[in-house]
Amino acid sequence: VRTSPSSSKKSSGTIAHSPTGMAFGSEIHALFETVGWIDEDSVAMPNTEAGTLVKDLFGQPEFNELFSRKGRAVDLFREQAVESILDGKWLSGVMDRLHVFRDADGAVSEIELIDFKTDAIADPEDLVERYAGQMRMYAKALGLLYPGAKLRCLLVSTRLRKIIECQ
């Protein structure tokens, strides 16, 4: 049986999916995909609503911190495909952004799993609850790949302009 982490998203029954909202979310994801490390590369965003929002987020200290390498030994993966067998099911998905930190010996010591969310949700806890299943599935897959590494799961909420830890 094949499954995807996004299929485990909890439905609240209160969120309407409009074509405009979905297009905005797709543009936000595409813009974040172009960003490497903001302390190493210039980040040019288009003069659109999504571009202005992403640029503004990088002006906030917590976003600046998350998207800066600061000379650390960290591998960056964007739109990283994942295929794994978990609990007898074939997991197939794409992680938005992954930071894989290495210690002085080059061993993986910590991982930041980052997922971009544009949901029109007012409460961070609702966002965490909605995507907990998805993030757990990704975390399990990463645990197989990097056993023993510390894992942080982060939801980047563009609506709330917050980074929310989900574990």
Side-chain angles (χ1 to χ4, degrees), residues 12 15 118-124 126-127 130-131 157 159-160:
S12 67
I15 296 175
T118 58
D119 300 47
I121 291 178
D123 184 349
D126 290 343
L127 197 64
R130 183 161 213 229
Y131 292 101
S157 172
R159 173 71 170 224
L160 298 174

Side-chain angles (χ1 to χ4, degrees), residues 10 21 25 34 55 58 74 83 94-95 102 119 151 159:
K10 190 171 184 180
T34 67
K55 184 178 174 186
F58 290 143
V74 56
E83 301 284 335
V94 177
M95 294 178 261
R102 298 187 178 274
D119 300 47
L151 176 65
R159 173 71 170 224

Side-chain angles (χ1 to χ4, degrees), residues 28-47:
I28 291 284
H29 273 78
L31 292 174
F32 273 122
E33 186 179 345
T34 67
V35 177
W37 301 108
I38 63 174
D39 61 336
E40 295 178 358
D41 303 313
S42 62
V43 178
M45 289 291 140
N47 191 20

Side-chain angles (χ1 to χ4, degrees), residues 117-155:
K117 300 299 179 194
T118 58
D119 300 47
I121 291 178
D123 184 349
E125 289 304 314
D126 290 343
L127 197 64
V128 170
E129 182 180 336
R130 183 161 213 229
Y131 292 101
Q134 174 186 7
M135 299 305 277
R136 267 194 303 275
M137 291 175 101
Y138 283 141
K140 278 183 161 181
L142 289 169
L144 294 174
L145 189 57
Y146 303 109
K150 178 183 173 190
L151 176 65
R152 291 182 66 211
C153 293
L154 305 169
L155 298 175

Side-chain angles (χ1 to χ4, degrees), residues 5-167:
S6 60
S7 69
S8 66
K9 176 174 68 172
K10 190 171 184 180
S11 176
S12 67
T14 61
I15 296 175
H17 296 285
S18 72
T20 303
M22 292 174 76
F24 182 74
S26 294
E27 184 180 358
I28 291 284
H29 273 78
L31 292 174
F32 273 122
E33 186 179 345
T34 67
V35 177
W37 301 108
I38 63 174
D39 61 336
E40 295 178 358
D41 303 313
S42 62
V43 178
M45 289 291 140
N47 191 20
T48 63
E49 183 181 355
T52 300
L53 173 60
V54 172
K55 184 178 174 186
D56 289 349
L57 291 175
F58 290 143
Q60 293 183 11
E62 69 177 333
F63 284 88
N64 191 289
E65 175 75 20
L66 184 63
F67 288 88
S68 293
R69 185 192 312 248
K70 296 188 200 170
R72 298 174 291 181
V74 56
D75 300 323
L76 168 62
F77 299 91
R78 293 171 278 193
E79 295 298 311
Q80 180 62 51
V82 60
E83 301 284 335
S84 182
I85 303 296
L86 293 176
D87 303 323
K89 294 180 181 175
W90 175 13
L91 168 77
S92 183
V94 177
M95 294 178 261
D96 290 344
R97 188 175 175 107
L98 193 61
H99 297 165
V100 179
F101 294 88
R102 298 187 178 274
D103 63 19
D105 297 325
V108 174
S109 58
E110 182 179 348
I111 301 165
E112 288 177 338
L113 167 61
I114 302 160
D115 206 62
F116 306 118
K117 300 299 179 194
T118 58
D119 300 47
I121 291 178
D123 184 349
E125 289 304 314
D126 290 343
L127 197 64
V128 170
E129 182 180 336
R130 183 161 213 229
Y131 292 101
Q134 174 186 7
M135 299 305 277
R136 267 194 303 275
M137 291 175 101
Y138 283 141
K140 278 183 161 181
L142 289 169
L144 294 174
L145 189 57
Y146 303 109
K150 178 183 173 190
L151 176 65
R152 291 182 66 211
C153 293
L154 305 169
L155 298 175
V156 170
S157 172
T158 58
R159 173 71 170 224
L160 298 174
R161 296 176 180 251
K162 288 185 169 203
I163 298 169
I164 304 155
E165 193 140 1
C166 53
Q167 256 187 320

